[in-house]
Amino acid sequence: MRSYNLLKFKVQRRFIIISKSKSKTRKRLIRDEPSITGTTADLQLKNLKNMGNGIIDSDLKSLIKTENSKELQFKIKQLQEFTKNLKAQLKVSEAKKKFETVERENINELKWKVTSQNKTTTSALANSRDTSRSSANITSLIASENNIFQENNNLLPAALKEIIGNNTLIFQCLANSRNRNWNPIVEKLSESSEKLSMMSVNDLRFQFIPYIRNLSFENIERLDNMLMERCRSHKAGHDAEVTRFPMAFFECIFKNLLDSATTASNTKENYEYVLQFFDKLLGRYDKSLETYGADGLLKKFKLNNVIMGHCITYIARMGALAEYNVMNKYLAKFSQYGIQPNRNNYTTLIKFSIDKKNYAQAWDFFDTMKFLSVKEHAPDEKTYYSMLLICNEEANYAKAIDLYNELKDLYDNAKSSKMNKVFPFHIDSSSKDLQPSIKTLSLMALILAKSSRDNIISEGKSGSLRLLGWKYIHEICDRKDVQVAEAPSTTLSRYDKDSGDTLNNLDSFYVLKAMMALASYDGDVGLARALYFKYVSKIKITGSTKINLDPSMFNLLMHSYSRCRFDHIPVLLGYEEGSKLRSQILSNVDYTGRTLEEANSKVILPPFLPKAEILTKEEILMESRALWQFHVERMYENSDTIQIDYEKDIEACKKISTDFESFKFNMFALITNWKKLSHVDDNLLNTKNLCTFLNTAISMDDLREYLLRLRTFSYEEPQLDVMLKREWDNYSQNIIPSFTGKSTDSTFVNTENIKQHNRYDMFSMRYRILQQSEIYLLSMKAAVHFKNLDLGKDIWKKRGGYRKTWAFKNDPNWKKNDEIFAVSVVSFFTELGYLTDAMSVIMSSKKYINWSYPMVKKLHQALLEIEDVHSIEILLDITNNKKDLYEQKLQEIGKSLEKLKL
């Protein structure tokens, strides 16, 4: 008995042809013919049908002769499976045939027909897409089953389509499911006399309202009024029934108000408008509670945590405009309405607390989520990630490790419960492997790297923390489809919001940043340079596209220069797996860029020295300075260089100014314009990056280079005022010191030369940063490092002048900065042996600064060495005042505990 293995049958060039006569089946090869009529789909369809008939006929004959019932059932199942597969193949072939038929149609004629119905449709499509793409989109729309011109679709209910009476408008606004524009639809409905009267409330709830998004403020009001009018007519004039507003309507209005946080500008006026609208809607709900009571309302008329979540989410998204009292106001509504916040609500509150730097409140929310012990409220990985962000800000590696182990245990328990689909905590639908994400592992490595920068924070375990951080990196490398050593994609310019980043590309950025941090704080310049080169070299520059690099990545590169120690062995070279990873990354870097050039795009090639390792201090100083200039002036962009006639601009600025204050204001605006014309990167040119750049010169023991960098890329507010004042007074003085740092042989210089120098200094303000507390503190650190008394006194004096400026008075942390600077001054005098001056600083500031022993420890030890008993007694008396207060507070706490025991 002959049988066929139907399940394993593959469609090849060999076909079975069944003749009309009753002769035996025969096989023949189908040769390639030079001319074949019909389409490819026709040929495939015909062959599939002939092939299927031959197999089925022959198998039926064999099954008739079969006497075994089990074998017969098996053959029937085989035939059923083959029939199912054959139908699927036939369906695909018919779809291809239909698509090829549509492709052969005249696209121009089709566009003419669409234009004849409404010219605006064609113009909208032409503006949003190019000609070829729009033609393809029109063809696909015509070929699809949802084409509104060919078949009836479900874009809108039939009743609303009848009210609008313009199918072209509906198609234009709603055809693109990813970017639907509901504003014209709502406007058209509000202008009609019927409005929403032709649809029942239930149809509105399920067929129309849930899909409306991204409405403008005007259309939100129109929709709200239409819904209120529809609810009023629902009960034939009973005004009290208007208060029973279905929650589907509420959620639609709240959701569109939430969308305004991204669609509308985040101004104070818009913020206050949305809050007033929230209060208006909640007042309507309060009226329904007064009328019917909480027990008298059905579930569909009751507020829930999703709708209230829109309120707190909107406030959290508003950033600096949001206030705690407003957030607490809406949080009180939860308890007022008897609503229990869900996981998303708690996560939003945690993120809001983190943005406001209120970490204690964030930990309280997190503990509450765990305390509830309900799956619906249990924190998920997103919540754990938010808490790890706090650990990163506080450099609390111990707490971070505890949180990660807790999250990992939850995933391990989830794996054991996977068969029953009962997870001990919320599992995201995107989680496939039930393990911490790459983003979480990268953050753990970043926290450990950041904690290892200071021996006090790391408790003397800096090397161990970095080694543990690399362990998480190796765990990422061991996963499938992750190649850390390969160059990431173009998404690493995280400020480019329109680049269409995918999750994998963002993961590459997080991993790369964690590796940069580990290499930077370890002083591994070779690895940090290679990683940063991979970061920037894969960002393609096309046309005049503006690219904003991540400032933190550049800061880590500068930090690796400042922490470089030529006698230090990197952590990765201490074990085989790390050594292989490091050598693999270094070998894949070509600093010359020969392997990176492409025809239609340009890549960013930073001015790195063409060598894998840097071995001298001079090379570090030269390369760091070249990189700073390269990034600050955006030398990697294709933008045309504009020659700025700054002297002509200054003269014009003087002519339009009436007095010195107006001249000063106009000059600030002019400097801002110079920055734009010079393409200065404001994101990268910040105080944090400048301090790291300056610290590199300190680490390399080059005082001259430090002073040159400080003078070139920073300025003092009094210095700018002097330059502007002298420019306004037309240089009436003949003796003016130059601010360029260039020495001159003659004391009296030509007024015209002074004028040019002064104006060039004003023009250089476009890439200079105002010296603030951080830079003064770093300069005092330089004075201590170089043991330069004159530099220390000069910085101390200038810092005193800075305390009188507007920038210092508006600094919310000025008291803390004063305390830190005072400690640095005491350390400076102690290092140089001027112990009397150090004591004078402490005694003169004891009314304003709470001195503690750790702040004066070095001074106390120095006084012990010279046995200055009198100064020691004074110093300890000053530091013990705080200790007495501390003991007094302990006694008060002890008394309160005794009362609690009673």
Side-chain angles (χ1 to χ4, degrees):
M1 179 177 62
R2 185 177 61 181
S3 62
Y4 292 89
N5 191 357
L6 301 179
L7 296 178
K8 296 183 179 180
F9 184 80
K10 297 181 179 178
V11 180
Q12 299 178 351
R13 294 173 58 113
R14 185 176 299 231
F15 297 91
I16 301 174
I17 306 300
I18 305 299
S19 62
K20 294 183 180 180
S21 61
K22 297 183 179 180
S23 59
K24 296 182 179 180
T25 60
R26 58 178 179 173
K27 301 179 180 179
R28 68 182 181 90
L29 294 175
I30 304 298
R31 299 180 179 178
D32 296 333
E33 297 294 341
S35 61
I36 299 177
T37 58
T39 62
T40 307
D42 295 334
L43 182 60
Q44 293 179 353
L45 186 61
K46 183 178 179 180
N47 290 335
L48 285 172
K49 290 181 178 179
N50 293 335
M51 176 187 66
N53 291 333
I55 295 177
I56 293 173
D57 290 345
S58 58
D59 273 5
L60 285 175
K61 292 179 181 179
S62 62
L63 287 174
I64 294 174
K65 299 179 182 180
T66 304
E67 297 179 357
N68 191 348
S69 60
K70 292 183 178 181
E71 186 177 357
L72 180 62
Q73 292 177 0
F74 177 73
K75 290 295 182 181
I76 291 174
K77 291 181 179 180
Q78 281 185 326
L79 289 174
Q80 291 175 348
E81 184 67 23
F82 173 77
T83 304
K84 181 179 179 181
N85 295 335
L86 184 62
K87 288 181 179 180
Q89 294 179 15
L90 290 174
K91 188 175 181 180
V92 172
S93 300
E94 291 175 356
K96 289 182 179 179
K97 180 179 178 182
K98 181 179 179 181
F99 181 76
E100 290 177 359
T101 303
V102 175
E103 286 290 335
R104 289 194 301 268
E105 295 181 358
N106 190 347
I107 301 301
N108 294 328
E109 181 180 357
L110 177 62
K111 291 173 65 177
W112 178 83
K113 290 180 181 180
V114 176
T115 308
S116 63
Q117 295 183 9
N118 193 339
K119 294 183 179 180
T120 58
T121 305
T122 306
S123 61
L125 290 172
N127 292 332
S128 59
R129 303 173 180 86
D130 55 12
T131 304
S132 59
R133 187 175 179 184
S134 63
S135 301
N137 288 337
I138 294 175
T139 304
S140 61
L141 286 171
I142 295 299
S144 65
E145 295 180 356
N146 295 326
N147 176 24
I148 70 170
F149 295 114
Q150 304 265 346
E151 300 178 9
N152 187 18
N153 54 50
N154 296 323
L155 290 179
L156 274 182
L160 295 182
K161 290 173 61 179
E162 183 179 351
I163 295 174
I164 296 174
N166 190 343
N167 289 334
T168 304
L169 177 64
I170 299 174
F171 168 75
Q172 178 183 351
C173 297
L174 306 180
N176 187 359
S177 59
R178 295 184 178 180
N179 187 21
R180 289 180 173 174
N181 184 10
W182 287 95
N183 287 291
I185 302 298
V186 174
E187 290 178 8
K188 199 71 175 178
L189 290 173
S190 64
E191 293 172 358
S192 64
S193 58
E194 297 88 353
K195 293 184 172 55
L196 301 178
S197 60
M198 296 180 64
M199 286 193 68
S200 64
V201 174
N202 286 334
D203 290 342
L204 288 174
R205 288 176 57 195
F206 298 106
Q207 299 181 18
F208 178 60
I209 293 300
Y211 306 104
I212 302 177
R213 295 290 300 274
N214 300 321
L215 291 178
S216 62
F217 290 141
E218 295 79 6
N219 288 314
I220 292 175
E221 290 188 2
R222 291 190 181 104
L223 180 62
D224 183 51
N225 293 332
M226 287 191 294
L227 293 175
M228 286 288 292
E229 184 177 347
R230 184 65 189 90
C231 292
R232 184 178 293 108
S233 62
H234 183 60
K235 288 298 182 179
H238 290 277
D239 293 337
E241 291 295 333
V242 178
T243 58
R244 290 205 306 175
F245 207 57
M247 286 304 107
F249 298 173
F250 260 123
E251 184 175 3
C252 177
I253 304 299
F254 273 96
K255 183 63 178 175
N256 280 275
L257 290 173
L258 172 62
D259 293 338
S260 67
T262 54
T263 58
S265 57
N266 294 335
T267 61
K268 187 175 181 180
E269 292 76 12
N270 291 341
Y271 174 65
E272 293 177 350
Y273 172 83
V274 173
L275 294 182
Q276 291 176 2
F277 213 124
F278 283 157
D279 295 338
K280 172 185 173 182
L281 295 173
L282 294 178
R284 188 182 303 167
Y285 181 71
D286 293 337
K287 188 176 180 181
S288 65
L289 289 179
E290 294 175 1
T291 305
Y292 300 97
D295 298 333
L297 287 176
L298 298 177
K299 184 178 180 180
K300 67 178 182 179
F301 296 110
K302 289 185 177 181
L303 280 179
N304 51 44
N305 47 27
V306 176
I307 297 176
M308 291 302 302
H310 295 332
C311 297
I312 62 176
T313 303
Y314 175 81
I315 298 172
R317 288 182 181 179
M318 295 309 291
L321 293 175
E323 299 176 352
Y324 269 110
N325 56 349
V326 179
M327 179 64 79
N328 293 332
K329 170 186 173 182
Y330 289 99
L331 284 179
K333 295 290 184 180
F334 279 87
S335 58
Q336 179 182 343
Y337 299 143
I339 300 174
Q340 177 65 41
N342 58 15
R343 180 189 305 105
N344 294 331
N345 300 148
Y346 279 116
T347 304
T348 301
L349 294 173
I350 289 174
K351 292 181 180 179
F352 176 76
S353 301
I354 295 175
D355 293 339
K356 295 298 181 181
K357 306 297 182 182
N358 192 347
Y359 301 141
Q361 189 175 28
W363 284 111
D364 291 339
F365 286 129
F366 182 71
D367 294 337
T368 302
M369 295 178 70
K370 294 195 297 183
F371 176 76
L372 291 175
S373 301
V374 182
K375 180 182 176 182
E376 286 72 16
H377 299 89
D380 57 1
E381 185 173 355
K382 293 180 180 179
T383 311
Y384 276 94
Y385 185 84
S386 299
M387 304 313 297
L388 288 175
L389 290 176
I390 299 179
C391 297
N392 183 43
E393 290 294 328
E394 298 178 341
N396 190 347
Y397 70 91
K399 187 65 176 179
I401 293 175
D402 292 339
L403 287 174
Y404 177 77
N405 291 333
E406 184 178 337
L407 176 63
K408 194 173 182 181
D409 292 340
L410 292 173
Y411 270 117
D412 292 339
N413 295 334
K415 288 181 181 179
S416 61
S417 306
K418 187 175 181 180
M419 298 302 296
N420 299 327
K421 296 183 178 181
V422 179
F423 301 117
F425 79 122
H426 175 70
I427 300 295
D428 191 1
S429 59
S430 61
S431 299
K432 298 179 180 179
D433 301 329
L434 294 180
Q435 58 183 350
S437 63
I438 295 177
K439 185 178 178 181
T440 303
L441 289 172
S442 303
L443 182 57
M444 282 298 302
L446 184 64
I447 294 172
L448 293 170
K450 190 174 181 179
S451 301
S452 67
R453 63 183 176 178
D454 190 349
N455 286 329
I456 297 177
I457 297 176
S458 63
E459 300 175 348
K461 305 174 183 177
S462 300
S464 301
L465 293 182
R466 296 185 194 115
L467 187 62
L468 182 59
W470 283 112
K471 173 188 173 184
Y472 292 116
I473 299 297
H474 293 311
E475 185 176 345
I476 296 174
C477 296
D478 293 338
R479 295 189 179 182
K480 297 180 180 178
D481 301 329
V482 177
Q483 296 179 353
V484 177
E486 296 297 328
S489 62
T490 59
T491 64
L492 299 181
S493 178
R494 72 169 192 158
Y495 284 90
D496 188 5
K497 298 180 181 179
D498 299 327
S499 59
D501 298 350
T502 60
L503 180 61
N504 293 331
N505 292 330
L506 291 177
D507 286 343
S508 300
F509 173 76
Y510 296 135
V511 176
L512 187 67
K513 186 173 183 179
M515 296 174 68
M516 276 285 295
L518 290 169
S520 175
Y521 292 117
D522 193 29
D524 191 352
V525 178
L527 181 58
R529 294 169 72 241
L531 291 173
Y532 190 80
F533 184 83
K534 285 180 175 290
Y535 164 62
V536 298
S537 62
K538 283 298 177 179
I539 299 176
K540 303 296 186 301
I541 304 176
T542 56
S544 59
T545 304
K546 184 177 180 180
I547 297 177
N548 292 317
L549 300 177
D550 189 352
S552 63
M553 295 291 289
F554 182 73
N555 182 266
L556 290 173
L557 177 64
M558 291 291 107
H559 205 77
S560 66
Y561 291 133
S562 64
R563 295 181 68 92
C564 176
R565 292 170 293 169
F566 297 103
D567 57 345
H568 172 68
I569 299 176
V571 173
L572 280 179
L573 295 179
Y575 59 104
E576 183 179 0
E577 187 178 6
S579 180
K580 288 182 179 179
L581 178 62
R582 188 178 187 274
S583 61
Q584 183 180 2
I585 295 175
L586 294 181
S587 61
N588 289 333
V589 173
D590 179 17
Y591 292 112
T592 61
R594 297 189 184 95
T595 61
L596 301 175
E597 294 292 340
E598 296 186 7
N600 299 325
S601 62
K602 177 184 176 182
V603 296
I604 300 177
L605 293 177
F608 286 110
L609 294 173
K611 53 192 304 187
E613 300 285 355
I614 293 182
L615 304 177
T616 63
K617 295 181 179 179
E618 290 75 13
E619 291 176 344
I620 287 181
L621 292 174
M622 289 188 296
E623 186 173 276
S624 62
R625 188 179 180 89
L627 286 169
W628 179 266
Q629 201 77 27
F630 177 81
H631 286 81
V632 167
E633 297 187 5
R634 294 179 183 268
M635 295 182 179
Y636 47 82
E637 288 189 347
N638 287 332
S639 54
D640 297 331
T641 303
I642 301 176
Q643 297 295 334
I644 302 175
D645 190 353
Y646 60 88
E647 293 191 8
K648 184 178 179 180
D649 293 341
I650 294 174
E651 288 292 339
C653 186
K654 290 172 62 177
K655 291 180 180 179
I656 63 174
S657 303
T658 57
D659 53 9
F660 176 70
E661 292 299 328
S662 62
F663 172 69
K664 186 176 180 181
F665 177 81
N666 293 331
M667 278 302 304
F668 286 151
L670 182 60
I671 292 172
T672 303
N673 188 43
W674 285 341
K675 283 186 177 182
K676 294 180 180 179
L677 295 177
S678 302
H679 307 288
V680 175
D681 193 344
D682 291 330
N683 292 323
L684 188 141
L685 187 63
N686 54 53
T687 304
K688 183 177 180 181
N689 285 350
L690 179 61
C691 288
T692 310
F693 175 65
L694 295 174
N695 194 37
T696 302
I698 299 176
S699 301
M700 296 298 108
D701 299 323
D702 196 329
L703 176 59
R704 182 179 179 182
E705 178 68 19
Y706 172 79
L707 295 176
L708 179 62
R709 293 185 179 190
L710 180 66
R711 184 169 53 247
T712 305
F713 298 107
S714 68
Y715 71 95
E716 301 174 55
E717 187 172 338
Q719 175 186 354
L720 178 60
D721 291 339
V722 169
M723 285 190 292
L724 295 177
K725 184 65 175 176
R726 285 175 177 164
E727 177 65 31
W728 178 253
D729 293 340
N730 293 319
Y731 308 94
S732 58
Q733 300 178 1
N734 293 327
I735 304 175
I736 303 178
S738 176
F739 290 92
T740 59
K742 298 179 181 180
S743 60
T744 57
D745 297 334
S746 60
T747 305
F748 296 93
V749 293
N750 189 284
T751 305
E752 188 63 28
N753 291 335
I754 295 176
K755 183 177 180 181
Q756 293 179 356
H757 285 306
N758 195 76
R759 289 188 173 183
Y760 183 78
D761 284 339
M762 294 167 63
F763 181 61
S764 66
M765 292 296 167
R766 68 191 190 279
Y767 55 77
R768 297 169 74 176
I769 298 176
L770 176 65
Q771 293 186 16
Q772 298 182 359
S773 297
E774 295 84 357
I775 297 180
Y776 286 112
L777 183 63
L778 182 64
S779 298
M780 185 58 67
K781 174 185 174 182
V784 174
H785 178 81
F786 295 108
K787 296 183 179 180
N788 191 315
L789 180 62
D790 295 334
L791 177 62
K793 289 183 177 180
D794 184 53
I795 296 299
W796 190 13
K797 181 180 179 181
K798 290 180 178 179
R799 214 278 181 169
Y802 167 70
R803 297 184 79 255
K804 302 176 183 179
T805 61
W806 178 87
F808 178 82
K809 294 177 182 178
N810 287 271
D811 186 2
N813 300 321
W814 66 271
K815 289 185 178 180
K816 182 179 179 181
N817 293 331
D818 270 353
E819 181 178 315
I820 296 175
F821 187 80
V823 173
S824 65
V825 172
V826 172
S827 300
F828 166 70
F829 285 123
T830 303
E831 289 290 335
L832 271 65
Y834 294 92
L835 304 184
T836 304
D837 294 332
M839 287 294 301
S840 300
V841 173
I842 296 174
M843 294 175 65
S844 61
S845 61
K846 64 180 180 179
K847 294 181 179 180
Y848 311 103
I849 298 176
N850 294 324
W851 291 95
S852 61
Y853 182 77
M855 300 164 67
V856 297
K857 182 178 179 180
K858 292 183 179 180
L859 176 60
H860 180 253
Q861 293 176 349
L863 293 173
L864 288 176
E865 291 179 359
I866 63 175
E867 298 181 357
D868 189 349
V869 180
H870 179 68
S871 298
I872 292 174
E873 290 179 356
I874 296 174
L875 181 63
L876 293 179
D877 287 339
I878 295 174
T879 57
N880 288 336
N881 287 335
K882 189 174 182 179
K883 183 177 180 181
D884 295 338
L885 293 175
Y886 179 73
E887 292 179 352
Q888 183 179 357
K889 289 183 178 180
L890 287 179
Q891 293 177 359
E892 293 177 357
I893 294 173
K895 293 180 180 179
S896 61
L897 290 176
E898 291 294 334
K899 293 180 180 179
L900 290 175
K901 290 180 181 180
L902 292 176

